[in-house]
Amino acid sequence: MNLTNKCHLSPVHAIALMSTNSLTAVLGTFGNVLVCIAVITIPRLRKISNFLLFSLAVADLIVTVACAPLLVAMIGKLAFAHECPTNLELAYYNTGNLSFTSSILHLAAISVDRFLAVVFPLRHNKIMKTYGLKIMLVAVWGIAISFTAIRVVDETSILAFVLFVLSYLIITVSYASIFIFLMKERGKRKYLRGTESRPDAITSNVERRVAFTLAIVILVFSACWFPLITTFFASGKHLVKVHGPAFMWIRTLAVSNSAMNFLIYSWRIRDFREAYVKIFRRVIGRGSA
């Protein structure tokens, strides 16, 4: 990678950055591991669609276990050793490419899954159980690994930008279709007010709430990653000083996203909240036994 000769960061920024990234590493690892345990061990969460959330949590773990600690080490080297963290930068660059690509592709896959769940509820489970989930997971991780390998050889930004645009196109089309469908359904509901308590109506409302929750996940991801995409990739060159405070805070914002999904699930999805409580009770129970 192209590094500047002025590898220096002020201690004030460094301490704040290192603290933020350390918190991301600890909280994010804890939260994403908890999501994985919940999906695997709690029968109510062992739904086919939740395995996409499980896989997304694995992608986020790449960030919290590898990228965030690497970023802390890079910042420390810049601020206190006044050296360019070349080797650390290379490791961060490769793991970052893998985590970014897998995350955005997961969000695209999740958007398609929500489209199927809301618009085609009766066919959704059959599609996902027979081939949908397998195709999505193979595509997401296959493309992410291939993209990372290509970026090791060719560092051009255009490929990352194209992948970003295509993924967001899938997300936009999926959620636009969901929105249009829900608007049509709202017009029909005034004739079906007496049937809103039917099991299929309740299930439909649950799927809509989950779709809205995952839309929040996508919006938060966008808020965290758009500054990095705009600053580092969209123009074809860095728009801020390499290894300067702005450079590192933009990276930190992107990395911090991997600690947020766990919090969103806790806030929006009761099944996850209840699952976390059950897991904590099991752990406490074993500890006191």
Side-chain angles (χ1 to χ4, degrees), residues 42-219:
I42 305 300
R44 193 166 181 173
L45 286 177
R46 215 175 293 140
K47 301 175 182 177
I48 196 73
S49 295
N50 283 345
F51 284 101
L52 285 173
L53 301 185
F54 174 93
S55 189
L56 176 59
V58 173
D60 285 335
L61 278 170
I62 296 173
V63 179
T64 60
V65 172
C67 292
L70 283 169
L71 194 52
V72 170
M74 289 163 57
I75 293 166
K77 194 167 185 179
L78 286 165
F80 304 111
H82 307 306
E83 296 178 2
C84 294
T86 308
N87 293 331
L88 293 172
E89 182 84 26
L90 181 60
Y92 173 87
Y93 180 77
N94 290 329
T95 54
N97 277 326
L98 179 61
S99 63
F100 160 74
T101 311
S102 57
S103 293
I104 187 64
L105 289 173
H106 271 101
L107 295 181
I110 288 169
S111 299
V112 173
D113 173 72
R114 288 301 88 201
F115 165 76
L116 293 173
V118 174
V119 181
F120 302 104
L122 299 180
R123 298 169 58 188
H124 168 252
N125 279 337
K126 183 178 180 181
I127 291 172
M128 292 300 291
K129 284 181 179 179
T130 53
Y131 56 85
L133 180 65
K134 296 182 183 70
I135 291 175
M136 286 180 180
L137 292 179
V138 170
V140 164
W141 287 107
I143 294 172
I145 293 170
S146 299
F147 173 83
T148 303
I150 292 171
R151 291 278 286 173
V152 170
V153 179
D154 183 5
E155 296 183 12
T156 56
S157 301
I158 186 64
L159 184 60
F161 187 65
V162 168
L163 185 64
F164 188 81
V165 170
L166 289 177
S167 297
Y168 263 87
L169 180 62
I170 294 172
I171 292 169
T172 302
V173 170
S174 296
Y175 270 91
S177 300
I178 290 172
F179 178 78
I180 293 170
F181 174 80
L182 293 180
M183 290 299 99
K184 290 180 179 179
E185 286 294 297
R186 178 178 292 182
K188 297 177 183 178
R189 280 205 300 271
K190 63 182 180 181
Y191 302 107
L192 302 171
R193 292 187 186 278
T195 62
E196 283 299 308
S197 61
R198 295 178 308 170
D200 58 336
I202 295 172
T203 300
S204 178
N205 287 335
V206 170
E207 295 293 359
R208 292 171 188 176
R209 181 173 177 80
V210 172
F212 184 71
T213 298
L214 296 172
I216 294 174
V217 170
I218 292 168
L219 288 174

